[in-house]
Amino acid sequence: MIAAFTVQRQPFKDAVESAAKDLVRVQEIGGSLYLNLPIIYPDGSFVTVKLDQSAGGITVSDAGFAYREAEDVGAHRSFRRTANKIAEDYGIIVGDRAVSTEATIDQIERAVADVAMASWRIATVITEKAMEEDESELSAELSSRLRSVFGVEKVVEGAKLTGFSTSEWPVSAIVTIDDHKTIFQAVTSHPNSIYKASTAFRDIAATQAKLSLVSFVRSKAALGPKLALLAPSRIVEESQSDEQIWKLAA
């Protein structure tokens, strides 16, 4: 009985061990060791820490990856301010473009965890704030266009709708024409903005099928393959005419 269980369990154990090796990888580059961890930055890449031997033991840093995330969203100037606040929770050092700490051999595990989590939090906080500011700016532009096209009385800004999951979803605006409602949502090229809109659209559509859904984007090209995630909404670019916006709500 025990032997039979061991035979059945072994493939399962082998699969788990194989997955663990894939989740955490070590690579040597230029004398430094880079450790990829199963933690995801906002852009979808894995959090990576860099380990170097030093006079005092081992230097563990994020190799500037959180800073690069901030650069990607044009918010690198806020890196140090944000990093200083978060680094206090982990007792690590903040440089101009990286966070790091010194450790002994026995402290490597803790040092890696502290630097990795701090780097992830820094990147996430900066990216989310930048995304919110960008989306807020695009929403303000959208609201102005809608008021101009349909008139103030037909536009409700910042409304919330309940989806099939009973979650409440804030939307940029609702336009009502002859009892027909159209939801307009400003969507930036940032993945979080796209995924949030995609989830909201599907949840709302599942319970309010008669609503029309429209994504307002700066550029379809900027969204790339992620554009398909905005189904079931129709998509309008900010450069398109007021007539096109009217047609989507008519």
Side-chain angles (χ1 to χ4, degrees), residues 143-216:
S143 294
S144 179
R145 290 280 300 276
L146 295 178
R147 290 194 301 269
S148 174
V149 173
F150 301 104
V152 176
E153 69 283 356
K154 289 184 171 61
V155 180
V156 177
E157 301 172 40
K160 291 184 178 180
L161 293 173
T162 302
F164 184 77
S165 68
T166 71
S167 297
E168 274 196 337
W169 299 101
V171 296
S172 297
I174 300 176
V175 173
T176 304
I177 301 177
D178 298 330
D179 296 327
H180 177 74
K181 296 183 183 299
T182 301
I183 309 305
F184 284 85
Q185 178 61 37
V187 184
T188 70
S189 59
H190 191 279
N192 285 2
S193 182
I194 298 169
Y195 296 143
K196 182 182 71 174
S198 174
T199 304
F201 286 149
R202 285 169 170 75
D203 199 26
I204 292 170
T207 187
Q208 303 191 52
K210 293 183 179 180
L211 288 175
S212 295
L213 302 169
V214 178
S215 296
F216 183 72

Side-chain angles (χ1 to χ4, degrees), residues 19-41:
K21 291 176 182 177
D22 285 337
L23 287 171
V24 180
R25 294 185 179 183
V26 179
Q27 186 176 12
E28 184 171 0
I29 302 175
S32 299
L33 293 177
Y34 289 82
L35 183 61
N36 289 359
L37 300 167
I39 308 170
I40 309 297
Y41 281 127

Side-chain angles (χ1 to χ4, degrees), residues 187-250:
V187 184
T188 70
S189 59
H190 191 279
N192 285 2
S193 182
I194 298 169
Y195 296 143
K196 182 182 71 174
S198 174
T199 304
F201 286 149
R202 285 169 170 75
D203 199 26
I204 292 170
T207 187
Q208 303 191 52
K210 293 183 179 180
L211 288 175
S212 295
L213 302 169
V214 178
S215 296
F216 183 72
V217 303
R218 287 195 173 90
S219 165
K220 292 180 181 179
L223 272 65
K226 293 185 178 67
L227 190 68
L229 296 175
L230 294 179
S233 75
R234 288 176 289 179
I235 300 166
V236 61
E237 295 177 292
E238 65 175 345
S239 61
Q240 289 184 263
S241 67
D242 290 348
E243 181 183 1
Q244 182 62 31
I245 291 177
W246 175 274
K247 287 179 179 179
L248 290 173

